[in-house]
Amino acid sequence: MPHLVHSAIAFGDRPAIHDATGTVTYAALHAHAARVATALLCDTDDLHEARVAVLVTPGAAWVAAMWGVWAAGGIAVPLSPQHPPAEWTYALDDADATALVVDAALHDAIAPVAQARALHVTMVETTDAPRTRLPLIGAERRAMMLYTSGTTGRPKGVVHTHGTLAAQIASLIDAWAWTAADHTLLVLPLHHVHGIVNVTCCALAVGAQLTMHARFDASSTWALLQTRRLTCLHAVPTIWARLLAAYDAMSPDEQRQSRAAVAALRLIVSGSAALPVLVLERWRALSGHTLLERYGMTEIGMALSNPLHGMRVPGHVGMPLPGVEVRAVDDDGHPVAPGVPGALEVRGPGVMREYWRRDADTRAAFRDGWFRTGDVGVLEDTAGGKSWRLLGRQSTDILKTGGYKVSALEIEDAVREHEAVAECAVVGLPDEQWGERVAVAVELRAQASLTLDELRAFLKPRIAPYKIPSALVTPESLPRNAMGKVLKPAVRALFGSA
Ligand code: MLC
Ligand code: AMP
């Protein structure tokens, strides 16, 4: 977003990012982004929405890469360093990317893929002298594409413009009272809105400090909580559960220091998946804070949030954020009364522009200007006033594991490629740590055999680690109805008895 990049100048020599390489000021970050933009532009004046993949280790250089793409007029397509090359090639080809910003550490892993597609490769470490004139970019221009799994087909590119991102950021700064006095910690991946918008963009938009970790790790997170003066923390329920497990393993003295560190935070936010009430209660006992739970989605940014001030109701996700409208509708699309469950629809300036080059999917995702989330919710009267409660998703083929959304159908396609597999069905199993665990039931071909380890090894180069099933059963035949359709609840039951 140009205004994010340009406002960095105003924050000058204030520290912006602390990462494994040290501390970078806002002025240095801005200069670095200008170097990346210059290298990307070569001798053109504007990238005119060319798709530029970003494969950079989370840290100040990642921000310089994103800002560089934005300042040059490109659409950034962030890729995950944890993904196998097969996931990268899918995104590069679907996005029709023509350029790549990469760091030295990740360069060799993606080089063959980049060469095969003749991508224009920019090293994020570029030392080119930055040009002074960069293109003027309007709010309506596309800025970023994030890949998200759906109920049909392969993952879709969710397109946000500079304007929709700016609206999301402004809404969260307002609701959660971000200021330059904040210092937050990034432990989330940078190929999803939670890490990109809620943490990185919000912190940098207000001139706050951001400590960035390449990957979540419970013990170093606790260490940073104790040594840095952090003010707020954002994460998914799996991370809150992992931090509790690490806390339980500490000595009484370390536990005392850890409690003091989290008690000193001003705000702890949870989202991306349902926060188990038990985890919320344990954090309340440990930190004195009621975790603020909110609800969002790649396509819409954040939509609902418990209040910053006022009562946060466990098991509820609060009311619409500033600028956002939320409604629940019945099967015919008519709004339902409070207290009646319905399909959640969202409207507002932060909602995505489109699914990349999928007009039919984009049309189907909206009803009269409202985005159809696929989640079911109900507006309830609670001790803290009216608040939305989520009741699940309309499709059982969408799972949430570790805060990642994954599609059962996409995983089934990958599993079916194994020669031992005749047919398969993927389901989510409830799991305390992961929310849901990916599980697969496989009907084997005659004479074939398959172990979980063999299947996992087969899938590792094909799909992201969090999509790989961690449970396998091989029934003689999958449970089906009279029409031959696989019955997912019955598939789930197979694991209960396994
Ligand atoms: C990893 N493992 C899993 C798994 N993920 N097993 C089951 N289910 C999963 N989902 C396995 C690994 O393969 C490994 O196995 C072992 O668990 C430990 O791995 P790890 O490396 O320690 O786990 P890690 O990769 O660190 O993952 C944990 C995590 C991560 C919680 C840090 O899942 C994460 O970053 N989640 C956040 C996702 C996110 O940002 N979502 C936001 C989407 S946007 P082995 O056998 O190798 O040891 C969105 C909108 C909104 O949702 O509202 O925010
Ligand atoms: P994603 O598509 O990865 O952005 O994931 C968005 C989905 O995460 C939503 O549609 C919800 O199903 C789920 N989600 C996000 N926040 C919450 C929450 N607080 N509680 C339950 N589910 C959530």
Side-chain angles (χ1 to χ4, degrees):
M1 213 150 333
H3 86 264
L4 198 67
V5 183
H6 296 313
S7 66
I9 301 173
F11 300 126
D13 289 332
R14 291 173 56 88
I17 294 176
H18 312 277
D19 66 11
T21 64
T23 295
V24 175
T25 64
Y26 276 93
L29 196 57
H30 182 266
H32 191 172
R35 289 199 298 277
V36 173
T38 302
L40 279 167
L41 283 165
C42 286
D43 10 326
T44 58
D45 289 334
D46 188 328
L47 291 183
H48 294 296
E49 299 192 351
R51 275 72 58 211
V52 184
V54 173
L55 182 65
V56 176
T57 310
W62 186 92
V63 175
M66 287 293 280
W67 286 10
V69 176
W70 286 341
I75 305 178
V77 186
L79 303 179
S80 165
Q82 262 87 54
H83 282 185
E87 294 264 11
W88 297 336
T89 56
Y90 174 76
L92 290 169
D93 293 344
D94 186 82
D96 196 6
T98 52
L100 166 74
V101 186
V102 65
D103 65 18
L106 292 160
H107 176 266
D108 290 358
I110 199 167
V113 165
Q115 262 161 23
R117 285 160 185 76
L119 297 183
H120 173 253
V121 176
T122 292
M123 298 305 297
V124 75
E125 295 88 356
T126 174
T127 52
D128 286 6
R131 58 162 91 178
T132 43
R133 286 182 66 126
L134 289 165
L136 282 174
I137 317 279
E140 71 296 343
R141 278 187 46 177
R142 297 173 179 86
M144 181 169 79
M145 269 170 63
L146 300 177
Y147 275 84
T148 192
S149 296
T151 45
T152 53
R154 303 272 336 250
K156 297 190 267 286
V158 172
V159 178
H160 280 292
T161 64
H162 292 276
T164 62
L165 289 175
Q168 291 177 20
I169 295 165
S171 173
L172 295 185
I173 291 172
D174 181 5
W176 298 340
W178 278 95
T179 71
D182 276 312
H183 184 170
T184 195
L185 173 66
L186 175 94
V187 290
L188 294 162
L190 286 174
H191 60 300
H192 285 299
V193 287
H194 198 166
I196 297 175
V197 176
N198 298 24
V199 181
T200 305
C201 289
C202 282
L204 298 176
V206 295
Q209 294 183 62
L210 175 65
T211 292
M212 297 178 87
H213 243 221
R215 272 190 90 160
F216 170 70
D217 158 60
S219 57
S220 44
T221 301
W222 275 118
L224 282 171
L225 277 161
Q226 285 171 18
T227 52
R228 299 274 160 104
R229 297 206 135 154
L230 300 177
T231 61
C232 54
L233 199 53
H234 301 248
V236 300
T238 302
I239 288 181
W240 302 123
R242 288 261 191 105
L243 287 171
L244 286 176
Y247 171 86
D248 290 338
M250 289 175 190
S251 69
D253 200 39
E254 283 173 324
Q255 287 189 339
R256 192 182 43 73
Q257 286 172 29
S258 297
R259 282 199 305 275
V262 283
L265 296 170
R266 75 167 180 90
L267 179 63
I268 312 180
V269 181
S270 180
S272 303
L275 176 66
V277 173
L278 206 67
V279 174
L280 177 142
E281 295 299 352
R282 278 218 60 201
W283 268 93
R284 182 143 57 189
L286 194 157
S287 65
H289 288 275
T290 302
L291 267 60
L292 182 156
E293 186 169 9
R294 64 23 171 216
Y295 157 81
M297 193 175 185
T298 306
E299 287 89 333
I300 58 174
M302 298 303 113
L304 297 166
S305 170
N306 272 286
L308 178 65
H309 306 292
M311 192 172 169
R312 300 173 192 164
V313 189
H316 287 73
V317 286
M319 294 298 284
L321 281 155
V324 182
E325 292 174 88
V326 176
R327 67 178 191 180
V329 300
D330 63 19
D331 291 347
D332 299 323
H334 302 305
V336 297
V340 178
L344 290 186
E345 297 188 343
V346 173
R347 192 163 71 171
V351 174
M352 72 163 186
R353 171 170 173 153
E354 67 202 345
Y355 292 118
W356 178 247
R357 291 184 179 164
R358 289 175 202 265
D359 291 344
D361 288 322
T362 303
R363 275 195 303 277
F366 287 91
R367 188 199 321 258
D368 305 331
W370 292 80
F371 178 79
R372 308 164 72 174
T373 64
D375 290 301
V376 179
V378 58
L379 182 61
E380 294 184 331
D381 284 313
T382 70
K386 286 207 181 309
S387 188
W388 286 91
R389 184 159 66 89
L390 297 171
L391 302 171
R393 291 195 60 86
Q394 288 176 303
S395 166
T396 53
D397 285 327
I398 294 291
L399 321 181
K400 265 273 161 161
T401 178
Y404 284 113
K405 178 154 118 180
V406 302
S407 151
L409 308 181
E410 185 193 343
I411 301 168
E412 286 163 6
D413 282 344
V415 172
R416 262 187 224 108
E417 284 178 33
H418 193 287
E419 58 183 12
V421 176
E423 197 36 277
C424 68
V426 165
V427 292
L429 303 180
D431 185 274
E432 249 178 45
Q433 189 181 6
W434 297 106
E436 284 181 295
R437 225 150 51 92
V438 180
V440 64
V442 170
E443 220 174 273
L444 293 170
R445 290 190 189 283
Q447 317 299 329
S449 69
L450 183 66
T451 65
L452 179 61
D453 283 349
E454 285 165 357
L455 180 64
R456 288 176 63 87
F458 173 80
L459 292 174
K460 208 166 166 225
R462 291 174 165 78
I463 52 177
Y466 45 85
K467 298 178 185 170
I468 298 178
S470 59
L472 166 74
V473 289
T474 52
E476 230 157 69
S477 59
L478 294 174
R480 292 188 158 86
N481 66 11
M483 311 289 288
K485 187 177 176 306
V486 173
L487 297 164
K488 293 264 169 134
V491 171
R492 214 170 284 126
L494 294 174
F495 293 88
S497 58

